[in-house]
Amino acid sequence: MFKKKTKLIKDNKVYSRPAVGLVILLFGFILLLGSMGLAISVGAAKINFPSVWNAVLNYDPSREADRIIMSLRLPRELGAAVVGAAFAVSGAIMQGMTRNPLADPGLLGLNAGASLALACVFAFNTDANYFTVMLISFIGAGIGAGMVFGLGSMSRGGLTPIRITLAGAAVSALLSSLGEGIALYFKLSQDLAFWTAGGVSGTNWTQLKLIVPVVIAGILIAVMFSRQLTILSFGEEVARGLGQRTLLTKVVLMTIVLILAGAAVSLVGAIAFVGLMVPHIVRFLVGTDYRWIIPCSAMFGSVLMVLADTFARTVNAPYETPVGAVVAMVGVPFFLYLARKGGRKLS
Amino acid sequence: MMNPAQIKRIRLTTLISILLLLVVFVISVATGFASLSPAELFRTVIGQGTPRENLILFEFRLPRIFVAILAGMGLAVSGAILQSLTKNPLSDPGILGINAGAGLMVVVYIMFFTVESSSFLYVLPLFALAGGMATAAVIYIMSYIKGEGVEPTRLVLVGVGLAAALYGATLTLSTRLDMEDYAFMANWIAGRIWGDDWTFVLSLLPWILILIPITIFKSNALNTLNLHENVSIGVGVNVGRERIVLIMIAVALASASVAVSGGIGFVGLMAPHIARSLVGPRHQAFLPVAALIGGILLLTADTIGRVVLDPSGIPAGIIVTIIGAPYFMYLLAKK
């Protein structure tokens, strides 16, 4: 059994570069710490590196710099890192599962669904606690994804990349229109708009305490299922031929995608393209084995988000530029490049 | 070539569409904050109205209704051209990113002139027009690959991606606006018909009056372009030139409409489909019907939006999307 599997994997040219993967994980971690340090030190009040370090290690509430770091900047950067990892991993899983190089939670209706759910929360129950908000945006993401995939698989010819992208565009248009309608009706358009544009500015420790464990658990489960995902990425028939219970795997993986995307959206709003770009770059570097793609994507995604958020915060200070827009500026040329290639090949 | 029954059907459908448009028109005048009953409407039209009735009809209602009808027509014909040219039944100026480009230019305009300086407001449609045209050009160039030409699938994908980028840029710029300008922009993007005095009707009218007849005149070219490219060349159509001209017409119609009406999607998708299923795929027959249906759709949406949330209203674009997106999904699943 195992021999057959390895042979098949060889035939399908699974290649991985564990050494590169290890280097990425290691350097990624250092880079992440470095960029978080940088992100914490720049801003309206400049704080030098040693005091950042000092504030984290022995927090002293009487110092102003320490208070800024612990109550404003550190939660924000942690939030950015967690969200980046969550988007990147959910993008990687979706691309592997659907064999669709253009898969991304933002393009496939998840973000729009979560936004609509949030508009409902704001409209009907303004004093919902954060856990409820997260749960509801998770359900919203599920509805969005369910519509897109249901639509894609209902159509004859199955889930081709172009069809699923179009379905995503239509579902997103519908759900965000409904959300806008609700927002206008209840006069909360402005509150929602900045939130939808994406921002980690308001992140606090209460939110992080809820989200960080959820995201980490999601990523760990994703890593546990990454072998099955690699096999699934050869196609459903191959996976079934190898004796994999594809339905179970798919259900587990899809649930992880929804949890990760829902949690991330509830924190920062709808940010597209992180989940699209990161897995492609990682796949280019470490190969097509998802055991490496998933952890490296998480690492890359967090670094990307921390840097994007820092850029968004400083490029046009004192205004905050929506981080979603910053990411889109980088992500869209990437998307166009993939679309030009025809959106067919995965690796 | 066509049997009498078919011709009769086409005539009948066209007639019914015109009647339906009139009915929606009367309903639209009769509903809303300041309304006129059909009897009052008739009296006012023949010149016997009270000053109040005259004011309501000629200053408030009519311009907005005309803008809705004209923009609906423009979008519908634009969508019909795009669908035939790309051979993709899912094409629509909104999905192809033309709205997003026009929207970006609207924000740029607001940043420089602000909304209040009303004398400049009439320049805004020109800005939107330029944005829409530029976006279309970029999409066309980006999806052109030497030797392969412009493949329809790629065109749509590039449009979707570019729309996301432009939307991102719009959001970035809009965070710098103050509250009032922001509200204007948000409403524009959501597709509120904002051009509601006669100047806007006049600025949109020439586009519609000139470009739609030209399109209908080019029906035969469209009929053949809808077939395989080799067939079109075989029957003597200058494919390259006709395609460019028609795309430019489509973009001009969409941008001009969107410039006055706000970012409205899905009318250009739905109207041609409904028309085609009613009178068949010959462009001579279905283009006029598509235009009429486009007018009906947008006017209905605007009327509903006006009634649902008085007095500010839900933007027509939202209503259209709520109807149009499920229709799009239905088409996608059926295809």
Side-chain angles (χ1 to χ4, degrees), chain A residues 102 147 151 154-156 162-163 165-167 169-171 173-174 177-178 180-181 184-185 187 189-190 193-194 197 273 316 319-322 325 328-329 332 335-336 339-340 344, chain B residues 90 141-145 151 153-154 156-158 161-162 164-165 168-169 171-172 175-176 179 182-183 187 190 266 308-309 314-315 318 321-322 325-326 328-329 332-335:
Chain A
L102 299 175
M147 281 172 79
L151 197 64
M154 242 167 27
S155 49
R156 277 172 248 154
I162 170 87
R163 185 164 293 154
T165 311
L166 283 177
V171 169
L174 175 68
S177 262
L178 285 172
E180 262 171 66
L184 279 172
Y185 194 87
K187 298 197 171 24
S189 179
Q190 246 124 9
F194 201 84
F273 296 111
N316 187 22
Y319 298 102
E320 291 251 351
T321 308
M329 291 302 196
V332 167
F335 176 89
L336 291 180
R340 258 181 90 94
R344 275 179 222 105
Chain B
L90 300 174
I141 294 166
M142 296 285 260
S143 45
Y144 183 87
I145 289 180
E151 199 217 341
T153 318
R154 205 182 306 127
V156 175
L157 271 182
V158 169
L162 206 63
L171 273 176
T172 314
T175 47
R176 292 205 205 173
M179 291 271 272
Y182 180 83
N187 272 313
F266 291 106
V308 168
L309 187 63
I314 299 264
I318 290 183
T321 307
I322 290 172
F328 181 93
M329 296 171 199
L332 196 65
K334 207 182 68 171
K335 191 179 135 192

Coordinates of all heavy atoms in Angstrom, one line a residue, chain A residues 102 147 151 154-156 162-163 165-167 169-171 173-174 177-178 180-181 184-185 187 189-190 193-194 197 273 316 319-322 325 328-329 332 335-336 339-340 344, chain B residues 90 141-145 151 153-154 156-158 161-162 164-165 168-169 171-172 175-176 179 182-183 187 190 266 308-309 314-315 318 321-322 325-326 328-329 332-335:
Chain A
L102 N -7.0 29.8 -8.5 CA -7.5 31.1 -8.2 C -8.3 31.1 -6.9 O -8.9 32.1 -6.6 CB -8.3 31.6 -9.4 CG -7.6 31.8 -10.7 CD1 -8.6 32.2 -11.8 CD2 -6.5 32.8 -10.6
M147 N -22.8 28.5 -0.9 CA -23.5 29.0 -2.1 C -22.5 28.8 -3.3 O -22.9 28.3 -4.3 CB -23.9 30.5 -2.0 CG -25.2 30.6 -1.2 SD -25.5 32.3 -0.8 CE -26.2 32.9 -2.4
L151 N -23.2 26.1 -6.1 CA -23.4 26.6 -7.4 C -22.5 25.9 -8.4 O -22.9 25.5 -9.5 CB -23.3 28.1 -7.4 CG -23.8 28.9 -8.5 CD1 -25.3 28.7 -8.5 CD2 -23.4 30.3 -8.4
M154 N -23.3 22.3 -8.9 CA -24.6 22.0 -9.5 C -24.4 22.1 -11.0 O -25.1 21.4 -11.7 CB -25.6 23.1 -9.0 CG -26.7 22.5 -8.3 SD -27.7 23.7 -7.5 CE -27.5 25.2 -8.4
S155 N -23.5 23.0 -11.5 CA -23.5 23.2 -12.9 C -22.8 22.0 -13.6 O -21.9 21.4 -13.1 CB -22.7 24.5 -13.2 OG -21.5 24.5 -12.5
R156 N -23.3 21.7 -14.8 CA -22.7 20.6 -15.6 C -21.3 21.0 -15.9 O -21.0 22.1 -16.3 CB -23.5 20.4 -16.8 CG -24.8 19.6 -16.6 CD -25.6 19.6 -17.9 NE -26.9 20.3 -17.6 CZ -27.6 20.9 -18.6 NH1 -27.1 20.9 -19.8 NH2 -28.7 21.5 -18.3
I162 N -12.6 28.9 -13.8 CA -13.3 30.1 -14.2 C -14.7 30.1 -13.7 O -15.2 31.2 -13.2 CB -13.3 30.2 -15.8 CG1 -14.3 31.3 -16.3 CG2 -13.7 28.9 -16.4 CD1 -13.7 32.6 -16.4
R163 N -15.4 29.0 -13.7 CA -16.8 29.0 -13.2 C -16.8 29.3 -11.7 O -17.7 30.0 -11.3 CB -17.3 27.6 -13.5 CG -18.8 27.5 -13.1 CD -19.4 26.2 -13.8 NE -19.4 26.3 -15.2 CZ -19.4 25.3 -16.0 NH1 -19.3 24.1 -15.5 NH2 -19.4 25.4 -17.3
T165 N -14.7 31.1 -10.0 CA -14.4 32.5 -9.8 C -15.6 33.3 -10.1 O -15.9 34.3 -9.4 CB -13.2 32.9 -10.7 OG1 -12.2 31.9 -10.6 CG2 -12.7 34.2 -10.3
L166 N -16.3 33.0 -11.2 CA -17.5 33.7 -11.6 C -18.6 33.6 -10.5 O -19.3 34.5 -10.1 CB -18.1 33.3 -12.9 CG -17.3 33.8 -14.1 CD1 -17.9 33.2 -15.4 CD2 -17.3 35.3 -14.2
A167 N -18.8 32.3 -10.1 CA -19.8 32.1 -9.0 C -19.4 32.9 -7.8 O -20.3 33.5 -7.2 CB -19.8 30.6 -8.7
A169 N -17.7 35.7 -7.7 CA -18.0 37.1 -8.0 C -19.5 37.4 -7.8 O -19.9 38.4 -7.2 CB -17.6 37.5 -9.4
A170 N -20.4 36.5 -8.3 CA -21.8 36.8 -8.2 C -22.3 36.7 -6.8 O -23.0 37.5 -6.3 CB -22.5 35.8 -9.1
V171 N -21.9 35.6 -6.1 CA -22.3 35.4 -4.7 C -21.8 36.6 -3.9 O -22.6 37.2 -3.1 CB -21.8 34.1 -4.1 CG1 -22.0 34.0 -2.6 CG2 -22.5 32.9 -4.8
A173 N -21.2 39.6 -4.9 CA -22.0 40.8 -5.2 C -23.4 40.7 -4.5 O -23.8 41.7 -3.9 CB -22.2 40.9 -6.8
L174 N -24.0 39.6 -4.5 CA -25.3 39.5 -3.9 C -25.2 39.7 -2.4 O -25.9 40.5 -1.8 CB -25.9 38.1 -4.2 CG -27.2 37.8 -3.5 CD1 -28.3 38.6 -4.1 CD2 -27.5 36.3 -3.6
S177 N -24.3 43.2 -1.5 CA -25.4 44.1 -1.7 C -26.4 44.0 -0.6 O -26.9 45.0 -0.1 CB -26.1 43.8 -3.0 OG -25.6 44.6 -4.0
L178 N -26.8 42.8 -0.2 CA -27.7 42.6 0.9 C -27.1 43.3 2.2 O -27.9 44.0 2.9 CB -27.9 41.1 1.2 CG -28.8 40.4 0.2 CD1 -28.8 38.9 0.5 CD2 -30.2 40.9 0.3
E180 N -25.0 45.8 2.3 CA -25.1 47.2 2.1 C -26.5 47.7 2.4 O -26.7 48.8 3.0 CB -24.7 47.6 0.7 CG -23.3 48.1 0.5 CD -23.0 48.2 -0.9 OE1 -23.6 49.1 -1.6 OE2 -22.2 47.4 -1.5
G181 N -27.5 47.0 1.8 CA -28.9 47.3 2.0 C -29.2 47.4 3.5 O -29.8 48.4 3.9
L184 N -27.5 50.4 5.1 CA -28.2 51.7 4.7 C -29.5 51.8 5.5 O -29.8 52.9 6.0 CB -28.4 51.8 3.2 CG -27.3 52.2 2.4 CD1 -27.6 52.0 0.9 CD2 -26.9 53.6 2.7
Y185 N -30.2 50.7 5.5 CA -31.5 50.8 6.2 C -31.4 51.1 7.6 O -32.2 51.9 8.2 CB -32.2 49.4 6.0 CG -33.7 49.4 6.3 CD1 -34.6 49.8 5.4 CD2 -34.1 49.1 7.6 CE1 -36.0 49.8 5.7 CE2 -35.5 49.2 7.9 CZ -36.4 49.5 6.9 OH -37.7 49.6 7.2
K187 N -28.8 52.6 8.9 CA -27.9 53.8 9.0 C -26.6 53.4 9.8 O -26.2 54.1 10.7 CB -28.6 54.9 9.8 CG -29.9 55.4 9.0 CD -30.3 56.8 9.5 CE -31.3 57.4 8.7 NZ -32.2 56.5 7.9
S189 N -23.9 52.5 7.8 CA -23.1 52.3 6.6 C -21.6 52.6 6.9 O -20.7 51.9 6.5 CB -23.6 53.1 5.4 OG -22.8 53.0 4.3
Q190 N -21.4 53.8 7.6 CA -20.1 54.2 7.8 C -19.3 53.3 8.7 O -18.1 52.9 8.4 CB -20.0 55.6 8.3 CG -19.4 56.6 7.4 CD -20.4 57.7 7.1 OE1 -21.4 57.9 7.7 NE2 -20.0 58.5 6.1
A193 N -18.4 50.3 6.7 CA -17.5 50.5 5.6 C -16.0 50.3 5.9 O -15.3 49.6 5.3 CB -17.8 51.8 4.9
F194 N -15.7 51.0 7.0 CA -14.2 50.9 7.4 C -13.9 49.5 7.8 O -12.8 49.0 7.5 CB -13.9 51.9 8.5 CG -12.4 52.2 8.5 CD1 -11.9 53.1 7.6 CD2 -11.6 51.4 9.3 CE1 -10.5 53.3 7.6 CE2 -10.2 51.6 9.2 CZ -9.7 52.6 8.4
A197 N -13.4 47.4 4.8 CA -12.2 47.7 4.1 C -11.0 46.9 4.8 O -10.0 46.7 4.2 CB -11.9 49.2 4.1
F273 N -6.9 38.1 -1.4 CA -5.6 38.0 -2.0 C -4.5 37.5 -1.2 O -3.5 37.0 -1.7 CB -5.2 39.4 -2.7 CG -6.1 39.8 -3.8 CD1 -6.9 40.9 -3.6 CD2 -6.2 39.1 -4.9 CE1 -7.8 41.3 -4.6 CE2 -7.0 39.4 -6.0 CZ -7.8 40.6 -5.8
N316 N 0.6 57.0 5.0 CA -0.2 58.2 4.8 C -0.6 58.7 6.2 O -1.7 59.2 6.4 CB -1.5 57.8 4.0 CG -2.3 59.0 3.6 OD1 -1.8 60.1 3.6 ND2 -3.5 58.8 3.3
Y319 N -3.4 59.4 8.7 CA -4.6 58.6 8.3 C -4.2 57.1 8.3 O -3.1 56.8 8.0 CB -5.0 59.0 6.9 CG -5.5 60.4 6.8 CD1 -4.7 61.3 6.2 CD2 -6.8 60.7 7.2 CE1 -5.1 62.6 6.1 CE2 -7.2 62.0 7.1 CZ -6.4 63.0 6.6 OH -6.8 64.3 6.4
E320 N -5.2 56.3 8.6 CA -5.0 54.9 8.4 C -5.5 54.5 7.0 O -6.6 54.7 6.6 CB -5.9 54.1 9.4 CG -5.4 54.3 10.8 CD -4.8 53.0 11.4 OE1 -4.9 51.9 10.7 OE2 -4.2 53.0 12.4
T321 N -4.6 53.9 6.2 CA -5.1 53.3 4.9 C -5.6 51.9 5.2 O -5.0 51.2 5.9 CB -3.9 53.3 4.0 OG1 -3.3 54.5 4.0 CG2 -4.3 52.9 2.6
P322 N -6.8 51.6 4.6 CA -7.3 50.2 4.9 C -6.3 49.2 4.4 O -5.8 49.2 3.3 CB -8.5 50.1 4.0 CG -8.9 51.5 3.8 CD -7.7 52.3 3.8
A325 N -6.9 47.3 1.2 CA -6.5 48.0 -0.1 C -5.1 47.8 -0.4 O -4.7 47.6 -1.6 CB -6.9 49.4 0.0
A328 N -4.6 44.4 -1.7 CA -5.2 44.2 -3.0 C -4.2 44.8 -4.1 O -4.1 44.3 -5.2 CB -6.5 44.9 -3.1
M329 N -3.5 45.9 -3.7 CA -2.6 46.5 -4.7 C -1.5 45.6 -5.1 O -1.0 45.6 -6.2 CB -2.0 47.8 -4.1 CG -2.9 48.9 -3.9 SD -3.7 49.4 -5.4 CE -4.3 50.9 -5.0
V332 N -3.5 42.0 -6.8 CA -4.2 42.0 -8.1 C -3.2 41.8 -9.3 O -3.6 40.9 -10.1 CB -5.0 43.3 -8.3 CG1 -5.4 43.4 -9.7 CG2 -6.2 43.2 -7.4
F335 N -2.9 38.2 -9.3 CA -4.1 37.5 -9.8 C -4.1 37.6 -11.4 O -4.4 36.7 -12.1 CB -5.3 38.2 -9.2 CG -6.6 37.7 -9.8 CD1 -7.3 36.6 -9.2 CD2 -7.2 38.3 -10.9 CE1 -8.4 36.1 -9.7 CE2 -8.4 37.8 -11.4 CZ -9.0 36.7 -10.8
L336 N -3.8 38.8 -11.9 CA -3.8 39.0 -13.3 C -2.8 38.1 -14.0 O -3.1 37.5 -15.0 CB -3.5 40.5 -13.7 CG -4.6 41.5 -13.3 CD1 -4.2 42.9 -13.6 CD2 -5.9 41.1 -13.9
A339 N -4.3 34.7 -14.1 CA -5.4 34.7 -15.0 C -4.8 34.6 -16.4 O -5.4 33.9 -17.3 CB -6.3 35.8 -14.8
R340 N -3.8 35.3 -16.7 CA -3.2 35.4 -18.0 C -2.6 34.0 -18.4 O -2.7 33.6 -19.5 CB -2.0 36.4 -18.1 CG -2.4 37.6 -18.7 CD -1.2 38.6 -18.8 NE -0.4 38.3 -20.0 CZ -0.6 39.1 -21.1 NH1 -1.5 40.0 -21.1 NH2 0.2 38.9 -22.1
R344 N -5.2 27.5 -15.4 CA -5.4 26.0 -15.6 C -4.5 25.2 -14.7 O -4.9 24.4 -14.0 CB -5.3 25.6 -17.0 CG -6.5 25.8 -17.8 CD -6.4 25.5 -19.2 NE -7.1 26.5 -20.1 CZ -6.5 27.4 -20.8 NH1 -5.1 27.5 -20.7 NH2 -7.1 28.2 -21.5
Chain B
L90 N -22.3 35.3 -19.8 CA -22.2 35.9 -18.4 C -21.6 37.3 -18.4 O -21.3 37.8 -17.4 CB -21.5 35.0 -17.5 CG -22.1 33.6 -17.3 CD1 -21.2 32.7 -16.5 CD2 -23.5 33.7 -16.7
I141 N -6.1 45.1 -23.1 CA -4.6 45.0 -23.4 C -4.1 43.8 -22.5 O -3.3 43.0 -23.0 CB -3.9 46.3 -23.0 CG1 -4.3 47.3 -24.1 CG2 -2.4 46.0 -23.1 CD1 -3.8 48.7 -23.7
M142 N -4.5 43.8 -21.2 CA -4.1 42.7 -20.3 C -4.5 41.3 -20.8 O -3.8 40.4 -20.5 CB -4.6 43.0 -18.9 CG -4.1 44.2 -18.3 SD -2.4 44.1 -17.8 CE -2.7 43.7 -16.1
S143 N -5.6 41.2 -21.4 CA -6.1 39.9 -21.8 C -5.7 39.5 -23.2 O -6.0 38.5 -23.7 CB -7.6 39.7 -21.6 OG -8.2 40.8 -22.1
Y144 N -4.9 40.4 -23.8 CA -4.4 40.1 -25.2 C -3.1 39.4 -25.1 O -2.2 39.8 -24.5 CB -4.3 41.4 -26.0 CG -3.8 41.3 -27.4 CD1 -4.8 41.1 -28.4 CD2 -2.5 41.2 -27.8 CE1 -4.4 40.9 -29.7 CE2 -2.1 41.1 -29.1 CZ -3.1 40.9 -30.0 OH -2.7 40.7 -31.3
I145 N -3.0 38.3 -25.8 CA -1.8 37.5 -25.8 C -1.4 37.4 -27.3 O -2.3 37.0 -28.1 CB -1.8 36.2 -25.1 CG1 -1.9 36.4 -23.6 CG2 -0.6 35.3 -25.5 CD1 -2.0 35.1 -22.8
E151 N -8.9 36.0 -25.6 CA -9.8 34.9 -25.4 C -10.9 35.3 -24.4 O -10.5 35.9 -23.3 CB -9.0 33.7 -24.8 CG -9.6 32.4 -24.9 CD -9.3 31.6 -23.6 OE1 -8.4 31.9 -22.9 OE2 -10.1 30.6 -23.4
T153 N -12.7 34.0 -22.0 CA -12.6 33.6 -20.6 C -11.6 34.4 -19.9 O -11.8 34.9 -18.8 CB -12.1 32.1 -20.5 OG1 -12.8 31.4 -21.5 CG2 -12.3 31.6 -19.2
R154 N -10.4 34.7 -20.6 CA -9.4 35.4 -19.9 C -9.9 36.9 -19.7 O -9.6 37.5 -18.7 CB -8.2 35.4 -20.8 CG -6.9 35.7 -20.0 CD -5.7 35.7 -20.9 NE -5.5 34.5 -21.7 CZ -5.4 34.5 -23.0 NH1 -5.4 35.7 -23.7 NH2 -5.3 33.4 -23.7
V156 N -12.9 37.9 -19.1 CA -13.7 38.0 -17.9 C -12.9 37.9 -16.6 O -13.1 38.7 -15.7 CB -14.8 36.9 -17.9 CG1 -15.6 36.9 -16.7 CG2 -15.7 37.1 -19.1
L157 N -11.9 37.0 -16.6 CA -11.1 36.8 -15.4 C -10.3 38.1 -15.1 O -10.3 38.5 -13.9 CB -10.1 35.6 -15.6 CG -10.6 34.2 -15.2 CD1 -9.5 33.3 -15.4 CD2 -11.0 34.2 -13.7
V158 N -9.7 38.6 -16.1 CA -8.9 39.8 -15.9 C -9.9 41.0 -15.4 O -9.5 41.7 -14.5 CB -8.2 40.3 -17.2 CG1 -7.7 41.7 -17.1 CG2 -7.2 39.3 -17.6
G161 N -10.6 40.5 -11.7 CA -9.4 40.8 -10.9 C -9.2 42.3 -10.8 O -9.0 42.9 -9.7
L162 N -9.3 43.0 -12.0 CA -9.0 44.4 -12.0 C -10.1 45.2 -11.2 O -9.8 46.2 -10.6 CB -9.0 44.9 -13.5 CG -8.2 46.1 -13.7 CD1 -6.7 45.8 -13.4 CD2 -8.3 46.5 -15.2
A164 N -11.5 44.2 -8.5 CA -11.1 44.1 -7.1 C -10.0 45.1 -6.8 O -10.1 45.8 -5.8 CB -10.7 42.7 -6.8
A165 N -9.1 45.3 -7.7 CA -8.0 46.2 -7.5 C -8.5 47.6 -7.5 O -8.1 48.4 -6.6 CB -6.9 46.1 -8.6
G168 N -10.3 48.4 -4.4 CA -9.3 48.6 -3.3 C -8.8 50.0 -3.3 O -8.7 50.7 -2.3
A169 N -8.4 50.5 -4.5 CA -7.9 51.8 -4.7 C -8.9 52.9 -4.3 O -8.7 53.8 -3.6 CB -7.4 52.1 -6.1
L171 N -11.4 52.5 -2.2 CA -11.5 52.5 -0.7 C -10.4 53.2 0.0 O -10.6 54.0 0.9 CB -11.5 51.0 -0.2 CG -12.8 50.3 -0.1 CD1 -12.6 48.9 0.3 CD2 -13.8 51.1 0.8
T172 N -9.2 53.0 -0.6 CA -8.0 53.7 0.0 C -8.2 55.2 0.0 O -8.0 55.9 0.9 CB -6.7 53.3 -0.8 OG1 -6.7 51.9 -1.0 CG2 -5.5 53.8 0.0
T175 N -11.1 56.8 2.3 CA -10.9 57.0 3.7 C -10.5 58.5 4.0 O -10.5 58.9 5.2 CB -9.9 56.1 4.3 OG1 -8.8 56.0 3.5 CG2 -10.5 54.7 4.4
R176 N -10.0 59.2 3.0 CA -9.5 60.6 3.2 C -10.7 61.6 3.1 O -10.5 62.7 3.4 CB -8.5 60.9 2.2 CG -7.2 60.2 2.4 CD -6.1 61.1 1.8 NE -5.0 60.3 1.3 CZ -4.0 60.8 0.7 NH1 -4.0 62.0 0.3 NH2 -3.0 60.0 0.3
M179 N -17.2 63.2 5.9 CA -18.4 62.4 6.0 C -19.3 62.6 4.8 O -19.8 61.6 4.2 CB -19.2 62.8 7.2 CG -18.5 62.4 8.5 SD -19.0 60.8 9.0 CE -20.5 61.2 9.9
Y182 N -18.0 61.3 1.6 CA -18.0 59.8 1.7 C -19.3 59.2 1.4 O -19.5 58.2 0.7 CB -17.5 59.4 3.1 CG -17.4 57.9 3.2 CD1 -16.3 57.2 2.7 CD2 -18.5 57.1 3.7 CE1 -16.3 55.8 2.7 CE2 -18.5 55.8 3.7 CZ -17.4 55.1 3.2 OH -17.4 53.8 3.2
A183 N -20.4 59.8 2.0 CA -21.7 59.3 1.8 C -22.1 59.4 0.4 O -22.7 58.4 -0.2 CB -22.7 60.2 2.6
N187 N -22.9 56.0 -1.8 CA -24.1 55.8 -2.5 C -23.9 55.7 -4.0 O -24.6 54.9 -4.7 CB -25.0 57.1 -2.3 CG -25.9 56.9 -1.1 OD1 -26.5 55.9 -0.9 ND2 -25.9 57.9 -0.2
A190 N -22.9 52.1 -4.6 CA -24.1 51.2 -4.4 C -25.1 51.3 -5.5 O -26.0 50.5 -5.6 CB -24.7 51.5 -3.0
F266 N -25.5 44.1 -13.4 CA -26.5 43.0 -13.6 C -27.7 43.4 -14.6 O -28.3 42.5 -15.1 CB -27.1 42.5 -12.3 CG -26.1 41.7 -11.5 CD1 -25.5 42.2 -10.4 CD2 -25.7 40.5 -12.0 CE1 -24.6 41.5 -9.7 CE2 -24.8 39.8 -11.2 CZ -24.2 40.3 -10.1
V308 N -39.2 51.6 -0.6 CA -38.9 50.8 0.6 C -38.4 51.6 1.7 O -38.8 51.4 2.9 CB -37.8 49.7 0.2 CG1 -37.2 49.1 1.4 CG2 -38.4 48.7 -0.7
L309 N -37.6 52.6 1.4 CA -37.1 53.4 2.5 C -37.2 54.9 2.2 O -36.3 55.5 1.7 CB -35.6 53.0 2.7 CG -34.9 53.6 3.9 CD1 -35.5 53.1 5.2 CD2 -33.4 53.2 3.9
I314 N -33.4 53.0 -0.8 CA -32.3 52.1 -1.0 C -31.8 52.3 -2.5 O -32.7 52.4 -3.4 CB -32.9 50.6 -0.9 CG1 -33.4 50.4 0.5 CG2 -31.8 49.6 -1.3 CD1 -32.5 49.8 1.5
P315 N -30.5 52.4 -2.7 CA -30.0 52.6 -4.1 C -30.6 51.5 -5.0 O -30.6 50.3 -4.7 CB -28.5 52.5 -3.9 CG -28.3 52.9 -2.5 CD -29.5 52.4 -1.7
I318 N -28.6 48.3 -5.5 CA -28.7 47.2 -4.6 C -29.9 46.3 -4.9 O -29.8 45.1 -5.0 CB -28.9 47.7 -3.1 CG1 -27.5 48.3 -2.7 CG2 -29.3 46.6 -2.2 CD1 -27.5 48.8 -1.3
T321 N -29.1 44.2 -7.9 CA -28.2 43.1 -7.6 C -28.9 42.0 -6.9 O -28.7 40.8 -7.2 CB -27.1 43.6 -6.7 OG1 -26.5 44.7 -7.4 CG2 -26.0 42.5 -6.5
I322 N -29.9 42.3 -6.0 CA -30.6 41.3 -5.3 C -31.4 40.5 -6.3 O -31.6 39.3 -6.1 CB -31.4 41.9 -4.2 CG1 -30.5 42.5 -3.1 CG2 -32.4 40.9 -3.6 CD1 -31.2 43.3 -2.0
A325 N -28.2 38.9 -9.2 CA -27.2 37.9 -8.8 C -27.7 36.5 -8.8 O -27.1 35.6 -9.4 CB -26.6 38.3 -7.5
P326 N -28.9 36.3 -8.3 CA -29.5 34.9 -8.4 C -29.7 34.5 -9.8 O -29.5 33.3 -10.1 CB -30.8 35.0 -7.6 CG -30.6 36.1 -6.7 CD -29.7 37.1 -7.4
F328 N -27.9 35.4 -12.4 CA -26.6 35.1 -12.8 C -26.2 33.7 -12.4 O -25.7 32.9 -13.2 CB -25.6 36.1 -12.3 CG -24.2 35.9 -12.7 CD1 -23.7 36.6 -13.8 CD2 -23.3 35.1 -11.9 CE1 -22.3 36.4 -14.1 CE2 -22.0 35.0 -12.3 CZ -21.5 35.6 -13.4
M329 N -26.5 33.4 -11.1 CA -26.1 32.1 -10.6 C -26.9 31.0 -11.3 O -26.4 29.9 -11.6 CB -26.5 32.0 -9.1 CG -25.6 32.9 -8.3 SD -26.3 33.0 -6.6 CE -25.5 34.5 -6.1
L332 N -25.3 30.4 -14.5 CA -24.0 29.8 -14.3 C -24.3 28.3 -14.1 O -23.5 27.4 -14.7 CB -23.3 30.4 -13.1 CG -21.9 30.1 -13.0 CD1 -21.1 30.7 -14.1 CD2 -21.4 30.7 -11.7
A333 N -25.3 27.9 -13.3 CA -25.6 26.5 -13.0 C -26.1 25.8 -14.3 O -25.8 24.6 -14.5 CB -26.6 26.4 -11.9
K334 N -26.9 26.6 -15.1 CA -27.5 25.9 -16.2 C -26.5 25.7 -17.4 O -26.6 24.7 -18.1 CB -28.6 26.9 -16.7 CG -29.7 26.1 -17.5 CD -30.7 27.1 -18.0 CE -30.2 28.0 -19.1 NZ -31.2 28.8 -19.8
K335 N -25.5 26.6 -17.4 CA -24.6 26.6 -18.6 C -23.9 25.2 -18.8 O -23.3 24.7 -17.9 CB -23.6 27.7 -18.4 CG -22.8 28.0 -19.7 CD -21.8 29.1 -19.4 CE -20.4 28.8 -19.9 NZ -19.4 29.7 -19.4

